[in-house]
Amino acid sequence: MNIKSIKSQFPIFEKKINGNSLVYLDSANSSQKPRAVINRLSHFYENEFSNVGRSVHSLAVTATNRFEESRDIIKNFLNAKHREEIIFTKGATESINLVASSYGDKFMKEGDEIILTELEHHSNYVPWHYLRDKKGAVIKFAKLNENLEIKTDEIKKLITNKTKMIALTHISNVTGGISPLEEIIDLANSKKIPVLIDGTQGAPHLKLDMQKIGCDFYVISCHKMYGPNGLGILYGKKKWLDLLPPYQGGGGMIDEVKKETITFAETPTKFEAGTMQTAEVVAMGEAVKFIESIGLKKILDHENQVLNYALERLKKNNSIKLIGNPENKASVLSFTIKGIHPHDIATILDEDGVAIRAGHHCCQILHEKIGVSATARASLGIYNDKDDIDVLDSSIKKCRKVFNI
């Protein structure tokens, strides 16, 4: 695979940071965008723009067709059974809020239980916390082992006849650990408990097959998989989406409105209230085409090679403490350096053009567990190679010199 050729498709890498070539190691936060996605966004606004699902003039028909074509592209990408199982939202956060609100309103009562894990991003905790406050639900956290992995037995211990939802991450945005989804979902299915997967880190890196994974809900953040900002995808089994009430009310999601009664549209339209992000949806279809043009297996193989090289290099640096040691790991490396705050690490690396994230990564429960308030995090995308890791390693050594460590 020619990474230089792939990298050349991302205009951002023509930019210099403090006089240095950009080494972008913050894709778990948000990935950069290939020219094809940027151009598709511009082309839509310049040539095809209109609102969808309302007017019958030529532009509106074209825009609606492009919007629905993207739904089909994503349906095939996820191997969903029905195109109606693809819902467009403002982001993965809204997707989880949609499920927590709609499922909670219809199916949960006081004392019912939700199982999460200690790995969860705030986006897969706070919406369930709202449900806890609103309905008197109970949240249980599956504990991690010494390698900061979630094991199926820890989920099994928490299941009771009051368990109404299991929600967990596919890939941790702190440790890179890959959850044993199929084991957990098989367990949940045997107990008839629905499962929601936070796939914000899973979707950019792993082959997704909803028939094989078997979860009830899977959420995606488009800006993390080379697509546009302000757009998320909720995959939900049609049997659930048909049962759930709408999450938001407004134009577009209704069937008939009278002074006394309102009836709603069918799935998926009933969950897509108001003016949709049409250009972003169309551009997301292009992002999926970009990923498929390379091939997810090739992407995963390449990222694993770079990840293993990074682990080898960083483990030789005795001043670095890597966070977590999961057996199955994807392209995230969080670390600390004794005596240097992660924000200072990130600032010094930026001087060399190296972009990482520093902070709690919206995972304060996990950081409390490991006893630190923040970590530094380098995360990989398709455009990274071993040369980027060499620059990262060199810049980390520079941090030590600056702080005399």
Side-chain angles (χ1 to χ4, degrees):
M1 189 161 62
N2 189 336
I3 296 303
K4 286 186 178 179
S5 175
I6 291 171
K7 194 169 185 175
S8 71
Q9 297 179 51
F10 291 79
I12 194 73
F13 292 110
E14 298 169 9
K15 184 179 178 63
K16 297 289 185 180
I17 304 294
N18 298 318
N20 298 293
S21 297
L22 171 62
V23 175
Y24 190 78
L25 293 167
D26 198 21
S27 293
N29 186 6
S30 195
S31 63
Q32 294 297 337
K33 318 304 171 193
R35 188 172 281 106
V37 171
I38 297 168
N39 289 348
R40 190 66 188 91
L41 200 65
S42 297
H43 180 83
F44 180 83
Y45 276 125
E46 291 173 1
N47 298 283
E48 300 171 323
F49 177 77
S50 183
N51 212 336
V52 300
R54 288 159 171 81
S55 303
V56 295
H57 56 74
S58 296
L59 283 175
V61 171
T62 297
T64 300
N65 287 341
R66 298 292 179 266
F67 184 91
E68 294 301 333
E69 284 167 9
S70 283
R71 197 188 306 275
D72 287 330
I73 289 169
I74 292 159
K75 178 252 182 188
N76 293 333
F77 180 73
L78 298 178
N79 193 26
K81 276 188 178 179
H82 309 282
R83 66 188 315 275
E84 294 84 4
E85 294 178 324
I86 307 302
I87 310 295
F88 294 114
T89 66
K90 292 196 293 292
T93 299
E94 186 181 57
S95 296
I96 297 172
N97 274 276
L98 187 162
V99 176
S101 177
S102 295
Y103 178 87
D105 281 347
K106 188 169 182 70
F107 292 108
M108 297 197 73
K109 62 183 184 300
E110 185 174 357
D112 283 344
E113 297 169 354
I114 304 153
I115 296 176
L116 309 179
T117 81
E118 293 177 328
L119 284 174
E120 299 314 311
H121 189 283
H122 297 163
S123 292
N124 197 29
Y125 170 41
V126 178
W128 305 108
H129 165 76
Y130 285 161
L131 186 59
R132 175 170 61 186
D133 276 0
K134 181 179 179 180
K135 287 282 193 119
V138 175
I139 296 176
K140 294 179 175 180
F141 289 92
K143 294 187 181 300
L144 306 178
N145 66 14
E146 64 277 5
N147 292 323
L148 302 184
E149 298 170 303
I150 187 66
K151 295 296 186 181
T152 306
D153 284 348
E154 291 300 318
I155 301 282
K156 188 174 183 179
K157 288 177 187 177
L158 300 180
I159 292 176
T160 72
N161 58 7
K162 292 186 176 182
T163 305
K164 294 297 189 292
M165 176 66 72
I166 298 173
L168 74 155
T169 187
H170 195 166
I171 296 176
S172 167
N173 72 320
V174 176
T175 69
I178 303 173
S179 300
L181 292 192
E182 292 185 32
E183 288 181 10
I184 292 170
I185 292 167
D186 284 347
L187 171 65
N189 287 343
S190 72
K191 307 287 186 181
K192 297 184 178 179
I193 302 167
V195 179
L196 177 143
I197 302 301
D198 174 0
T200 51
Q201 302 300 330
H205 304 288
L206 302 177
K207 172 66 175 174
L208 299 180
D209 183 335
M210 293 302 108
Q211 305 316 303
K212 184 178 179 182
I213 293 173
C215 60
D216 298 272
F217 304 97
Y218 194 99
V219 306
I220 291 172
S221 179
C222 295
H223 72 95
K224 296 181 191 292
M225 53 183 302
Y226 313 110
N229 274 9
L231 183 67
I233 296 165
L234 168 64
Y235 159 82
K237 286 184 177 177
K238 192 171 183 295
K239 68 174 186 178
W240 287 115
L241 296 178
D242 287 345
L243 287 171
L244 296 184
Y247 170 56
Q248 295 175 323
M253 49 73 70
I254 54 83
D255 177 28
E256 186 176 57
V257 174
K258 296 185 177 181
K259 287 184 176 180
E260 297 79 18
T261 59
I262 299 173
T263 55
F264 301 112
E266 298 295 319
T267 305
T269 308
K270 70 176 179 179
F271 294 110
E272 295 176 349
T275 298
M276 297 299 292
Q277 315 92 298
T278 313
E280 286 75 12
V281 169
V282 172
M284 187 58 204
E286 197 67 34
V288 171
K289 290 179 184 177
F290 167 78
I291 291 169
E292 291 182 327
S293 72
I294 301 169
L296 273 163
K297 186 180 186 306
K298 288 183 179 180
I299 292 173
L300 180 60
D301 288 346
H302 168 71
E303 289 177 346
N304 281 340
Q305 287 176 17
V306 179
L307 174 67
N308 290 332
Y309 181 74
L311 287 168
E312 180 185 335
R313 288 294 301 266
L314 296 184
K315 282 178 179 178
K316 289 179 180 178
N317 190 331
N318 294 330
S319 64
I320 290 178
K321 180 182 179 182
L322 291 169
I323 305 303
N325 185 32
E327 181 180 356
N328 295 311
K329 183 178 174 68
S331 50
V332 176
L333 290 157
S334 295
F335 61 93
T336 57
I337 302 175
K338 187 175 181 180
I340 311 178
H341 193 281
H343 289 162
D344 292 325
I345 298 172
T347 300
I348 294 169
L349 264 58
D350 183 60
E351 293 176 359
D352 293 338
V354 180
I356 67 166
R357 184 174 175 183
H360 53 63
H361 317 304
C362 300
C363 286
Q364 287 179 302
I365 289 173
L366 177 57
H367 279 77
E368 182 180 13
K369 181 180 182 69
I370 62 179
V372 296
S373 60
T375 54
R377 183 185 72 189
S379 52
L380 305 177
I382 183 56
Y383 30 64
N384 294 120
D385 57 21
K386 292 178 181 180
D387 290 342
D388 292 339
I389 302 306
D390 290 339
V391 177
L392 170 67
D393 189 46
S394 176
S395 294
I396 288 172
K397 290 173 182 175
K398 177 180 172 181
C399 291
R400 296 177 61 193
K401 291 179 181 178
V402 170
F403 282 85
N404 294 315
I405 292 175

